[in-house]
Amino acid sequence: MAGLLAGLANATVNASTVLILAGLGELISERAGVLNLGVEGIMLVGALSGFVTTVVTGSYWLGLGVAIIAGGLLSLVHAFLCISLNSDQAVSGIMLTLLGTGLTTYFGNSYSGNSISGFPERTIPFVGEVLVGIPIVGPALFQSTVTDYAALLLVPCVWLFLYRTNLGLELVSVGEDPETADTMGVDVYRMRYLAVIVGGAFAGAAGAHLSLAFNQIWSAGMTAGRGWIAVALVIFARWRPERILLGAYLFGLFNALQLYSQALDLTLAAGTPFASLFNPVIDFVMNPTIMSTYPYLATLLVLVVTVVRAENRELAQPSALVESYSRESD
Amino acid sequence: MQVDVELTAREEVPRWMVYGTPVFTVLAALAVSAVALVALDVSPLAAYEVMFVQTVTTEFGLTETVAKAVPLIFAGLAVYLPLKAQLWNIGAEGQLFMGAVVGTWIGLNVSLPMIGLLPLMFVGAGAAGALWIAVPAWLRARWGINEIITTLLFTFVAADIKNYVVRGPMQAPGANFPQTAQLPVAGQLPTVPGVGLPVGVLLAVVFVALTYLLVNHTRLGFEITFIGANDEAAEQAGMSTSKIYLFVLMVGGAFAGFAGISEISGVQTRLRAFFAPGYGFTAIPIALLGRNGAFQVLLAALFFAVIFVGGSSVQTLMSVPAAIVDVIQALIILFLITAEFFKRYSVALSVGRKPGPEPQAAARAEPEGEL
């Protein structure tokens, strides 16, 4: 059982890093009022550009850097369309996802199936030996890649940035009430550009983690919907960085449970009363395919509860989300 | 040197722009895609010749294109109608899956002659699509919850349900693949005698005409367009936006359900786990290209059918990844939404110093110049 739990913990942490990185990026963008549905495509571009750079130069650090820059550049297109041209944010984001999926499938063809040695798993210096010894979660948390640690570290960083720095508060104000922020002297356009580009850079890094640390290969469409989960995760987290961490682990746990659902035999023994009644229900509920719907349904539930209990405004979505801003009215 | 950009909102869109924009954007997208083709050492001219000329000049290509267009027309309408009320049905793909699942189930489990079975399958699929969007529609109408996010979430759930049924309850007995049994002949859309075209295309044209009549020639259609133009004014004029929202989204969902079953019944003849190459998402550029009217949606769907069919010919003949179709789609959207900006504003560029502009005008132009 302990082995099973350790495996589950390990798979959960492994699956979570991508979601933490992409989710934090999306959160930063949405906090400034810009929905970016292009995460999936940006992640793919990050994954491929990072992978190709690593193959060509042999340096996975350079790969990560290129992926971050590529993510930022691609989201710059979204920023330009949505912030400067006031285009529809949903459509522009879908366009980015189509573009990213198409371009990476198109140009990544010849790299498909190549494997590289990317980020190795390491323990933290000095204290690592001790921490890895913690039963069940020790190896999962403290025997990881640099990108895993970085994702964990970025959660408090983003929290501090949003709630404890001037720039962060300005960013949040732009997402809540751009008109007022503008009157207070915040450059709405510049702030939104910054948020969208940084958000895209996070998504690029998430993609690089996938191809350089998690899988260490490139294959077309390897994000497998994780970009969309990141979008859902931000709603689940009610636009709060600390809840991104919680949500990412929950999503990751479901992911891991799917892998282990065969091993977890929860069905009632044949003699137990009502076994024939409950077992088909348990089978259905524990079916790996059905289990993968739970995170989406949970997200929807959270969204509904959040909006319906709107009196708790602090937890609701940024008021100006999906609304374009233009100064022409003043 | 100083570059000044001055934007003025247009009073009305010039006529040439309304009709020229779709054409220009398609041409621009093809021009940029040519760069990608050159990068892979493929002659863009040869590729486009295969894609656009051979596809529409051979009988095989034409039949394939029309067959492919049927689900695209329905999916395009599924996005187009809510768009008239300024709502985005981003989740047509999910409603399409549910329509395919329910329609296929009816086809496999109800024994009726074709004349009864096919309509029943379409009604079931339409109802499934409408019900699948009912929750997001209700959430939008009642609580104002953004339909973009909810329809998208429902798409992922629908995809999982589809994958579940083809691996479990609906899997063909003894099959190793995630797929259902083949539909009985009574459940397969026939072809028009003598022409070889699927009957589905007639159905699609009928629904295009009905949508056109609804939007352009009924009171309901007027209310939809009015709400789309200004929902607050519509509320003040006594219209019920929430009823209209429910209506357009659910009818849209039914259209998406039709898209699903027409593809299964007309082309695939059985439901597979991997059957739809994203028709529900292609519906978005289709609705954008055709947002001026239902018949333009039809034309846009035909155009996308051509690049889908042409894209797979290019893939087999010239070993270019079929992903080029995704790239072209994305570029079309990119240029379309850029063009929307130029429809709304006229842009005056002036390089160098202006000969003494009014100080007030200069002050107003400045912050906008920064964009």
Side-chain angles (χ1 to χ4, degrees), chain A residues 88 91 95 106 235 284 292 328, chain B residues 37 88 149 160 164 330 345:
Chain A
D88 196 286
V91 177
M95 181 274 299
Y106 194 66
I235 308 163
F284 177 76
S292 57
E328 65 202 23
Chain B
L37 288 166
W88 280 108
I149 290 161
D160 285 325
Y164 170 73
Y345 300 95

Side-chain angles (χ1 to χ4, degrees), chain A residues 166-225:
Chain A
N166 267 340
L167 198 66
L169 290 172
E170 284 181 13
L171 190 147
V172 172
S173 71
V174 159
E176 293 295 339
D177 188 349
E179 282 81 11
T180 309
D182 198 349
T183 339
M184 305 280 284
V186 180
D187 189 330
V188 177
Y189 296 104
R190 190 174 299 165
M191 194 54 86
R192 285 194 165 174
Y193 261 96
L194 190 75
V196 174
I197 292 169
V198 170
F202 272 69
H209 168 77
L210 260 188
S211 67
L212 300 180
F214 189 66
N215 287 338
Q216 314 215 340
I217 63 160
W218 160 257
S219 63
M222 67 188 296
T223 48

Side-chain angles (χ1 to χ4, degrees), chain A residues 60-61 64 119-122 144-152 209 213:
Chain A
Y60 46 76
W61 285 106
L64 178 64
F119 288 97
E121 291 199 332
R122 289 217 172 92
S144 297
T145 61
V146 178
T147 42
D148 287 317
Y149 298 127
L152 281 178
H209 168 77

